[in-house]
Amino acid sequence: MYVIGTGPGDPRHLTLFARNVLASAEVVFGYGPYLDRIASLLGSAEVRPSRMTREVERVTRAVETALSGRVTAIVSGGDPGIYAMAGLVFEVCKQRKITTVAAGTEAAAADALPVAVIPGVPALSAGAARLGAPLMHDFAAISLSDLLTPWETIEKRIEAAAEADFVIVLYNPKSKRRSWQLHAACTLIARHRSPETPVGIVANAMRENETVTLTSLQELPDAPVDMQTTVFIGNSGSFQLDGFLVTPRGYGNKYDLGE
Amino acid sequence: MYVIGTGPGDPRHLTLFARNVLASAEVVFGYGPYLDRIASLLGSAEVRPSRMTREVERVTRAVETALSGRVTAIVSGGDPGIYAMAGLVFEVCKQRKITTVAAGTEAAAADALPVAVIPGVPALSAGAARLGAPLMHDFAAISLSDLLTPWETIEKRIEAAAEADFVIVLYNPKSKRRSWQLHAACTLIARHRSPETPVGIVANAMRENETVTLTSLQELPDAPVDMQTTVFIGNSGSFQLDGFLVTPRGYGNKYDLGE
């Protein structure tokens, strides 16, 4: 059972390792549009696309297929280990009392399901690359989706990250049905950080319809943001430079950058 | 000027895009051992290795080489955008009043230095993949190196992340000259999290001499940790399963995992 990250979307941003595994898989599961983007890499695999809201069903079927003895891959956009499918594979196996084992160590447990997570370039890396260098110092990744997490928990994390001067990366900042959370997050962060704090917004990083926007914390609530967007809020030292967003790696100037 | 992430080390974990850029570069700068690992990908480039502590000098020479008109790449292990070389390129350009521009938009600024950051699989993704799925929920990345950051700032971030129940990823947890910080971090985190909190330790993820260790917060200070290690401290919901470290994606059970 392989859990594979396809990176930002363009097949050129998959790793060679992920490409090789996809080419050798017998059955590949995933969200339809993600599978479409990597169709050229799928070899002769049976392709099993599913809809966005069907994650549990998708993972359950993938696990069952893998247990039947076929080489099975389930793909995630970005990195499968960050807010993605890897966890659900283990949660489903736990619930169904299926023993898992790290792939490559099968000999130790003959009847266990071998699982390998193959990392990909996460959305936070693809977005950061387009912005320049916002993640040069400590950062916190926070999802604004309150479908599975109480808003009070999310709120507490936003405030803690803002107060401790983390660069903040917002996943799932807004959807058609969730529109007030981004505004609420900005209000919380503004208690601890200047309204001029630089902010970078990247939609569809490294694929079709990519947009990169630089703005400020005070302008963020009205900026163009949707589910395809990752938002980067600078720390107190972050600055804009020639259209890039940069967080310096040091506080103070312990290193000499030359004249 | 390309700033390229080589991922965890094994050339199979580079993206095709990064491989293509490396193959076409005329001059490649980087830390010697990182360049050795990807030697097979460097085509006919002039290779300019440097020592670990020479980052500013390395970046300055790379910028000067790029300005001279040669296709120049500087490589980082992991992702160049996370605690790595991308930021220093912009800091050096700012200090030296060199205008930068996103590569591909050169036409807009004829005398500016075009810069492209090419993301790679970061250490936190490679380590998480080996552990299973520790980063399924909000997480904070914190470097324990106090060479460029006051310990008071680091301390404040550790405590904020612990209190707000972030999964915590520790970069640079320990070196030969810095040995007390990991112990201090554990003491701070233990104020807010159970001593049995599961912890994953990954050294040399996805390259030679890889080791994966599962332990607990109370055992972490005495665990085998060095500069090649990334440490993952679970949140209050994280659990061990068959040798994996898993953070559930939801709080409560809003989704049905089947019987």
Side-chain angles (χ1 to χ4, degrees):
Chain A
M1 171 96 212
Y2 293 99
V3 191
I4 301 181
T6 60
D10 179 324
R12 292 175 300 169
H13 290 289
L14 267 82
T15 67
L16 184 64
F17 198 96
R19 297 166 77 98
N20 288 346
V21 171
L22 283 173
S24 67
E26 293 173 290
V27 192
V28 180
F29 290 82
Y31 173 49
Y34 292 171
L35 291 175
D36 293 343
R37 286 182 197 143
I38 56 162
S40 63
L41 308 178
L42 293 181
S44 59
E46 179 189 338
V47 179
R48 303 274 290 270
S50 56
R51 285 188 288 135
M52 178 61 98
T53 51
R54 297 292 184 182
E55 288 92 352
V56 175
E57 188 184 309
R58 185 191 309 153
V59 168
T60 303
R61 288 194 180 161
V63 166
E64 285 166 354
T65 305
L67 284 171
S68 79
R70 302 176 77 189
V71 179
T72 304
I74 185 162
V75 305
S76 274
D79 179 41
I82 297 183
Y83 298 116
M85 303 311 287
L88 208 45
V89 170
F90 293 105
E91 288 193 77
V92 164
C93 288
K94 184 186 183 200
Q95 187 75 20
R96 296 182 164 232
K97 300 188 169 49
I98 297 161
T99 305
T100 53
V101 63
T105 58
E106 293 89 329
D111 58 348
L113 177 67
V115 179
V117 180
I118 314 296
V121 171
L124 62 84
S125 292
R130 286 308 195 225
L131 288 168
L135 301 182
M136 289 297 112
H137 219 292
D138 304 329
F139 64 93
I142 303 174
S143 167
L144 293 192
S145 170
D146 55 357
L147 295 177
L148 295 173
T149 306
W151 178 250
E152 296 68 37
T153 303
I154 300 171
E155 205 167 35
K156 186 174 180 183
R157 290 186 183 150
I158 294 167
E159 184 127 29
E163 186 172 9
D165 204 24
F166 282 96
V167 177
I168 298 174
V169 184
L170 297 178
Y171 273 71
N172 308 314
K174 197 188 256 186
S175 72
K176 280 176 191 161
R177 295 193 299 179
R178 288 188 305 100
S179 60
W180 59 266
Q181 286 85 348
L182 180 62
H183 196 287
C186 292
T187 303
L188 287 169
I189 296 167
R191 289 187 194 161
H192 303 281
R193 218 164 284 185
S194 155
E196 284 81 37
T197 300
V199 168
I201 301 171
V202 185
N204 300 303
M206 302 190 170
R207 56 178 182 264
E208 270 194 2
N209 303 318
E210 175 184 279
T211 63
V212 178
T213 308
L214 285 187
T215 183
S216 64
L217 182 56
Q218 63 189 334
E219 304 289 346
L220 175 55
D222 302 314
V225 166
D226 64 19
M227 280 300 276
Q228 306 308 316
T229 305
T230 311
V231 175
F232 297 75
I233 299 165
N235 72 13
S236 61
S238 302
F239 57 86
Q240 288 194 21
L241 179 77
D242 304 332
F244 292 105
L245 174 58
V246 180
T247 299
R249 64 174 190 160
Y251 282 71
N253 267 317
K254 292 204 183 170
Y255 49 99
D256 179 8
L257 292 175
E259 68 239 48
Chain B
M1 172 96 212
Y2 292 99
V3 190
I4 300 180
T6 60
D10 179 324
R12 292 175 300 169
H13 290 290
L14 267 82
T15 67
L16 183 65
F17 199 96
R19 297 167 77 98
N20 288 346
V21 171
L22 283 173
S24 68
E26 293 174 291
V27 192
V28 180
F29 290 82
Y31 173 50
Y34 292 170
L35 292 174
D36 292 344
R37 286 182 197 142
I38 56 162
S40 63
L41 308 178
L42 293 180
S44 59
E46 180 189 337
V47 180
R48 303 274 290 268
S50 56
R51 285 188 288 135
M52 179 61 98
T53 51
R54 298 293 185 183
E55 288 93 352
V56 175
E57 188 184 310
R58 185 191 309 153
V59 168
T60 303
R61 288 193 180 161
V63 166
E64 286 167 353
T65 304
L67 284 171
S68 79
R70 302 175 78 188
V71 179
T72 305
I74 184 163
V75 305
S76 274
D79 179 41
I82 297 183
Y83 298 115
M85 303 310 287
L88 208 46
V89 169
F90 293 104
E91 288 194 76
V92 164
C93 288
K94 183 185 183 200
Q95 187 75 19
R96 295 183 165 231
K97 300 188 169 49
I98 296 161
T99 305
T100 53
V101 63
T105 58
E106 294 90 329
D111 58 349
L113 176 67
V115 179
V117 179
I118 314 297
V121 171
L124 62 84
S125 293
R130 286 309 194 221
L131 287 169
L135 302 182
M136 288 299 110
H137 219 292
D138 304 328
F139 64 92
I142 302 174
S143 168
L144 293 191
S145 170
D146 56 356
L147 296 176
L148 296 172
T149 306
W151 179 251
E152 295 69 36
T153 302
I154 300 170
E155 205 167 36
K156 185 174 180 182
R157 289 185 183 152
I158 294 167
E159 182 126 31
E163 187 172 9
D165 203 26
F166 282 97
V167 177
I168 299 174
V169 184
L170 298 178
Y171 273 72
N172 308 314
K174 198 188 253 186
S175 73
K176 281 176 190 160
R177 293 194 300 180
R178 286 187 306 99
S179 59
W180 58 267
Q181 286 86 348
L182 179 62
H183 195 288
C186 291
T187 303
L188 287 168
I189 296 167
R191 289 187 196 161
H192 304 281
R193 219 163 283 185
S194 155
E196 284 80 37
T197 301
V199 168
I201 301 172
V202 185
N204 301 302
M206 302 190 170
R207 56 178 183 265
E208 271 193 1
N209 303 318
E210 175 184 280
T211 64
V212 178
T213 309
L214 284 189
T215 183
S216 65
L217 182 56
Q218 63 190 335
E219 304 289 346
L220 175 55
D222 302 314
V225 166
D226 64 18
M227 280 300 275
Q228 305 308 315
T229 305
T230 311
V231 175
F232 297 75
I233 299 166
N235 72 12
S236 61
S238 303
F239 57 87
Q240 288 193 21
L241 179 77
D242 304 332
F244 292 105
L245 174 58
V246 180
T247 300
R249 64 174 191 161
Y251 281 71
N253 267 317
K254 291 204 186 171
Y255 48 99
D256 179 9
L257 293 175
E259 68 239 49

